[in-house]
Amino acid sequence: MFKALNPILHSQLRLAIVSLLMSVENAEFTFIKEKTGATSGNLSIQIGKLKTAGYIEVEKSFRDNFPLTTCKITKKGIQAFEEYVQALEAYLQVGKK
Amino acid sequence: MESTKQWNEKESLHLIRSMVESTKYQIYQDRFLYFLWGYLTLGCAVAHYVSGYVLSYAHPYRVWMLMALGGVAHFVYLGRRKKHSKVKSYMGRVMAGIWGGMGIAIILVLFKAFTIGWEIAYPIFMILYGTASYATAMALKYRILMIGGIASSICGFIAFSQPFQYQLILLMVAVLTSYIIPAHLMKAKIPNN
């Protein structure tokens, strides 16, 4: 029996955000925007959804009088990502057979 | 990038891989520091050797005071880089730990050198350069730096049994192999996408 793919992560941009945050301690909004190529509006919405799900922490501060948004993955986010990858692998194994 | 596009499992894995790849620590970003310390140490060692053993100047060691300028340049550069950095990586912390630890060890040996003697301190410096280079090379899988690190440590080991004059030559070889040559051979990785 297949595990259903987590709908929060099975979205191109949200998965990209979580994948990026899995490999760094934290990342600024502009860094994520640069790497994903997403628009600011869309990125803000998807970050909001991930935050609501408890997968990432978002910290808002200021640097040189400019607003600075920093994102960091949570334990819950790490667990969800790992389960998502396991589920993906299971799908791909069946595809090979 | 869209958030709602229909896509398959293979694309998901490809996306994960490409995102992880794009955040990988690149040794190329540290190239300036390798050049700074490599050429500064090489220049000071050559100047010390020439002024002390060719021109017979009474205080050839004074040239090493230039290393303090290297320290200032190092911290100014890192301060600027930190200001413009948009991401904090785990590997960045590992690198800071390796080279920060080496820096502390060098400063401690430097203070003790006045009592243990410089002919003991110089070989220790070479071994410390080698150890930090080797650890960095292993973490980042950079073979040339790994060879350089081993070469520098061997130079340090040989230097223990050599007169100070030859220790300076060994130091030149150590910084050439562990800093300068690897820095010249560092290449920027261009993302696949």
Side-chain angles (χ1 to χ4, degrees), chain A residues 24-36:
Chain A
V24 296
E25 275 188 62
N26 60 47
E28 289 177 20
F29 183 88
T30 49
F31 175 83
I32 301 170
K33 188 173 172 248
E34 193 182 290
K35 294 290 176 189
T36 57

Side-chain angles (χ1 to χ4, degrees), chain A residues 17 19-35 63 68-73, chain B residues 19-20 22-26 29 78 81-93:
Chain A
I17 297 166
S19 303
L20 277 176
L21 295 176
M22 277 296 288
S23 37
V24 296
E25 275 188 62
N26 60 47
E28 289 177 20
F29 183 88
T30 49
F31 175 83
I32 301 170
K33 188 173 172 248
E34 193 182 290
K35 294 290 176 189
R63 185 163 67 193
L68 177 71
T69 304
T70 311
C71 302
K72 187 183 178 181
I73 197 152
Chain B
M19 286 297 125
V20 171
S22 74
T23 57
K24 268 191 181 168
Y25 190 92
Q26 289 196 37
Q29 68 191 59
L78 282 188
R81 204 166 84 172
K82 196 178 175 187
K83 202 178 170 186
H84 294 108
S85 170
K86 295 174 185 169
V87 66
K88 214 179 204 181
S89 69
Y90 297 108
M91 194 52 83
R93 201 178 345 161

Side-chain angles (χ1 to χ4, degrees), chain B residues 40-62:
Chain B
L40 189 61
T41 311
L42 180 69
C44 288
V46 170
H48 189 158
Y49 188 90
V50 172
S51 59
Y53 299 99
V54 179
L55 305 173
S56 302
Y57 172 59
H59 307 289
Y61 52 84
R62 282 182 180 170

Side-chain angles (χ1 to χ4, degrees), chain A residues 26-88:
Chain A
N26 60 47
E28 289 177 20
F29 183 88
T30 49
F31 175 83
I32 301 170
K33 188 173 172 248
E34 193 182 290
K35 294 290 176 189
T36 57
T39 61
S40 298
N42 195 8
L43 189 57
S44 294
I45 294 167
Q46 304 314 323
I47 283 176
K49 286 183 182 175
L50 289 168
K51 188 187 167 191
T52 308
Y55 291 176
I56 65 169
E57 282 172 11
V58 181
E59 193 188 301
K60 290 186 187 284
S61 58
F62 285 90
R63 185 163 67 193
D64 298 333
N65 294 323
F66 287 99
L68 177 71
T69 304
T70 311
C71 302
K72 187 183 178 181
I73 197 152
T74 60
K75 276 184 186 170
K76 193 179 173 188
I78 294 170
Q79 197 186 342
F81 180 81
E82 284 170 353
E83 283 170 7
Y84 180 82
V85 172
Q86 278 171 11
L88 269 187

Side-chain angles (χ1 to χ4, degrees), chain B residues 51-115:
Chain B
S51 59
Y53 299 99
V54 179
L55 305 173
S56 302
Y57 172 59
H59 307 289
Y61 52 84
R62 282 182 180 170
V63 71
W64 289 105
M65 282 188 241
L66 285 173
M67 295 296 272
L69 288 180
V72 173
H74 180 107
F75 285 108
V76 169
Y77 173 78
L78 282 188
R80 281 189 186 169
R81 204 166 84 172
K82 196 178 175 187
K83 202 178 170 186
H84 294 108
S85 170
K86 295 174 185 169
V87 66
K88 214 179 204 181
S89 69
Y90 297 108
M91 194 52 83
R93 201 178 345 161
V94 171
M95 290 299 119
I98 292 171
W99 291 96
M102 188 207 74
I104 292 167
I106 283 189
I107 290 167
L108 293 176
V109 174
L110 204 61
F111 281 117
K112 199 71 186 162
F114 293 98
T115 49

Side-chain angles (χ1 to χ4, degrees), chain B:
Chain B
M1 190 176 279
E2 293 170 39
S3 56
T4 50
K5 190 186 146 193
Q6 286 299 312
W7 54 321
N8 62 34
E9 293 77 29
K10 268 191 184 167
E11 284 174 322
S12 289
L13 275 185
H14 178 72
L15 175 71
I16 293 168
R17 271 196 211 110
S18 69
M19 286 297 125
V20 171
E21 190 66 31
S22 74
T23 57
K24 268 191 181 168
Y25 190 92
Q26 289 196 37
I27 195 168
Y28 187 81
Q29 68 191 59
D30 296 331
R31 203 172 180 226
F32 171 76
L33 295 174
Y34 284 85
F35 280 138
L36 171 73
W37 289 112
Y39 279 113
L40 189 61
T41 311
L42 180 69
C44 288
V46 170
H48 189 158
Y49 188 90
V50 172
S51 59
Y53 299 99
V54 179
L55 305 173
S56 302
Y57 172 59
H59 307 289
Y61 52 84
R62 282 182 180 170
V63 71
W64 289 105
M65 282 188 241
L66 285 173
M67 295 296 272
L69 288 180
V72 173
H74 180 107
F75 285 108
V76 169
Y77 173 78
L78 282 188
R80 281 189 186 169
R81 204 166 84 172
K82 196 178 175 187
K83 202 178 170 186
H84 294 108
S85 170
K86 295 174 185 169
V87 66
K88 214 179 204 181
S89 69
Y90 297 108
M91 194 52 83
R93 201 178 345 161
V94 171
M95 290 299 119
I98 292 171
W99 291 96
M102 188 207 74
I104 292 167
I106 283 189
I107 290 167
L108 293 176
V109 174
L110 204 61
F111 281 117
K112 199 71 186 162
F114 293 98
T115 49
I116 59 171
W118 291 97
E119 67 285 354
I120 301 291
Y122 275 55
I124 297 173
F125 290 154
M126 285 179 241
I127 290 170
L128 286 172
Y129 296 158
T131 308
S133 297
Y134 183 81
T136 301
M138 287 301 281
L140 299 174
K141 293 180 186 165
Y142 184 37
R143 201 161 164 259
I144 296 148
L145 188 63
M146 193 172 80
I147 296 165
I150 294 168
S152 180
S153 296
I154 292 170
C155 283
F157 178 74
I158 297 168
F160 276 116
S161 55
Q162 298 299 317
F164 189 73
Q165 183 179 357
Y166 297 127
Q167 285 189 355
L168 283 172
I169 294 168
L170 284 164
L171 179 63
M172 292 174 212
V173 176
V175 288
L176 264 171
T177 55
S178 64
Y179 284 51
I180 298 170
I181 294 171
H184 276 286
L185 297 174
M186 284 172 193
K187 286 181 188 129
K189 272 187 192 166
I190 298 153
N192 297 329
N193 54 342

